[in-house]
Amino acid sequence: MLRYSELEPRPPYEASSVIFEISTGCSQAVPCNFCSFYTKSFSLRPIEEIEAELDEVATWPQKPRRAFLQSGNAFGIPADRLISILELIREKLPWIQTFGGFTRVDDVRRLSDEQLAKLAALGASDLSIGAESGLDETLEALGKVHRAADITEQCARLTRAGITYTLWYIAGSARAGRCLENARVSAEIYSQAQPKRIFLTTLSVGPNTPLGQMVESGEYELSSDYETVQEIREFLAGITCPTIFDCGQESNLFQFRMRVPEGRDEILAGLDGLLAGDRLSKTSRSRFMPAVIGGKWVR
Ligand code: SF4
C-alpha cells in the first residue's frame, strides 16, 4: 500500500499517473495567504521508504507510464536528491517514462541549467506550476514569492531545457473591481510563458488563512460570480499562444477544457450567454455552479 500522509491535491490531468510521495508539505517558509492544502510541515521522505514502495509497484499487473510526485513542491526538494529519486524510479520501474509534480516558480530559479537538463533527460515533463496570476498586485495579495517577470523568465529556462509545464491560474483572486485588469495582464504574461496547458481554478478561501481573515474583516473584497466569469472570458480571449485551456476542476464555477485557439470561440459564446443571462450574482460569490458550458475534453 502506497503511503499518502494527508489528503493532497492532485491535478485531474494526472488521473492516470501513479503517485509517489517523496516529501510532505510545502517548503515555502511562510505559506501563501490562501493556502490550506497541507497540514504537515515540510519534510523529505526517507529513501528506504520510497524504495520499498517502488518494489511494491514493480509487482503490480498495471505498468503506469507516468509518475506524479507529491507533495506541495516535490520538484523543489534538493536537486541531487530529486535526481537520485528519478534515477531510482527509472531503474526499478523502467516502464515509467515521464515524471510530473508541483513546483514553484522560485524552485525553478534555484535549479541550474545543468540540473534542469538532467531532469529533462530523466523524463521530467508537464510540471505543475502555481503561477496563479500575472499581475504583481494579485501575487502580492496571495502571498506568492514570485512576481510576473519571474514567470516568463523561469518558464523560458524550462523551455530551453526541454521541460514542458502547466501554469495554474486562480480566477477571482484579484480584489473586486480588479479582475479584468488581472485577466488582461495575466493573459499577456501566460502567453509569453507558452505553457503546454493553463489550468484554471476558482479561488476558494479557507477561513483560517490570512486571506480568509482579510475577507472576513472586509479588508479584501472578493469579486462576484459575474465579475469572475467576466475575468475568465477576458483571460481566455487574451491568450495568444497555442495551449490547452483547462477549466476542469470540479470546484470551479463550471467546467470546460479545450485547445486554444481551435475551441475558443465555442467557449467564449457560452460565457457570453452566461453573462447575458440572470444566473450570475453581481454582488456575491458562490462556490459551485454546475453548468457545463461546452468544450471538447482533450488530453
Ligand atoms: S506554494 Fe503552493 S503549496 Fe506552498 S504554500 Fe503556496 S499554494 Fe501552498
Side-chain angles (χ1 to χ4, degrees):
M1 180 97 121
L2 305 190
R3 186 199 84 167
Y4 305 112
S5 53
E6 58 186 325
L7 201 58
E8 296 169 353
R10 175 179 56 169
Y13 51 83
E14 294 282 5
S16 55
S17 308
V18 59
I19 299 179
F20 293 117
E21 188 182 79
I22 65 167
S23 59
T24 57
C26 169
S27 66
Q28 188 164 294
V30 179
C32 299
N33 288 339
F34 61 96
C35 181
S36 55
F37 298 143
Y38 300 98
T39 57
K40 307 260 183 220
S41 51
F42 178 71
S43 68
L44 299 172
R45 183 113 187 254
I47 295 290
E48 309 74 56
E49 286 186 22
I50 297 173
E51 207 163 356
E53 287 196 345
L54 297 179
D55 288 337
E56 182 186 332
V57 173
T59 67
W60 288 3
Q62 315 93 305
K63 305 290 179 208
R65 296 173 64 81
R66 179 171 170 84
F68 184 75
L69 308 180
Q70 293 271 31
S71 182
N73 60 331
F75 276 79
I77 69 170
D80 291 350
R81 188 181 182 93
L82 177 61
I83 287 167
S84 307
I85 291 172
L86 297 196
E87 286 171 341
L88 187 64
I89 297 174
R90 290 204 75 129
E91 179 198 320
K92 295 212 171 247
L93 308 171
W95 47 88
I96 291 187
Q97 309 273 306
T98 65
F99 300 90
F102 288 116
T103 191
R104 302 193 312 251
V105 176
D106 55 305
D107 289 330
V108 180
R109 187 192 300 121
R110 274 190 295 276
L111 293 168
S112 69
D113 290 345
E114 293 69 33
Q115 288 166 333
L116 288 177
K118 180 75 182 164
L119 290 170
L122 284 166
S125 71
D126 197 5
L127 304 185
S128 294
I129 304 178
E132 329 297 21
S133 164
L135 186 66
D136 282 349
E137 75 176 47
T138 304
L139 291 169
E140 192 177 345
L142 294 176
K144 299 303 289 188
V145 173
H146 68 266
R147 292 295 175 262
D150 302 318
I151 299 173
T152 49
E153 191 180 321
Q154 297 312 318
C155 286
R157 291 186 62 232
L158 285 172
T159 300
R160 281 198 295 275
I163 298 176
T164 53
Y165 38 89
T166 290
L167 292 184
W168 285 41
Y169 178 82
I170 307 182
S173 60
R175 285 177 191 274
R178 295 291 292 154
C179 287
L180 284 179
E181 175 71 359
N182 193 49
R184 284 184 199 120
V185 175
S186 298
E188 213 175 302
I189 294 292
Y190 279 53
S191 299
Q192 285 170 22
Q194 304 199 328
K196 169 184 174 175
R197 180 190 295 103
I198 293 170
F199 187 70
L200 185 146
T201 64
T202 314
L203 181 72
S204 48
V205 192
N208 297 322
T209 59
L211 190 60
Q213 284 156 10
M214 283 162 70
V215 170
E216 262 175 34
S217 71
E219 195 186 328
Y220 200 90
E221 190 190 345
L222 292 177
S223 57
S224 65
D225 286 341
Y226 187 85
E227 189 181 350
T228 305
V229 175
Q230 280 185 313
E231 175 190 356
I232 295 171
R233 191 207 185 284
E234 191 77 8
F235 181 54
L236 173 58
I239 296 296
T240 55
C241 65
T243 189
I244 296 169
F245 197 99
D246 186 341
C247 183
Q249 186 91 319
E250 285 203 354
S251 57
N252 282 358
L253 288 169
F254 41 75
Q255 289 83 39
F256 61 84
R257 184 191 300 166
M258 44 77 195
R259 287 190 195 279
V260 171
E262 297 90 328
R264 176 162 40 200
D265 287 350
E266 178 193 350
I267 299 298
L268 289 180
L271 292 170
D272 286 339
L274 207 52
L275 288 165
D278 57 5
R279 297 177 59 194
L280 297 171
S281 169
K282 292 189 174 172
T283 53
S284 64
R285 169 83 64 92
S286 59
R287 280 204 60 197
F288 297 101
M289 183 186 305
V292 176
I293 59 166
K296 299 197 183 342
W297 290 81
V298 292
R299 292 293 304 167

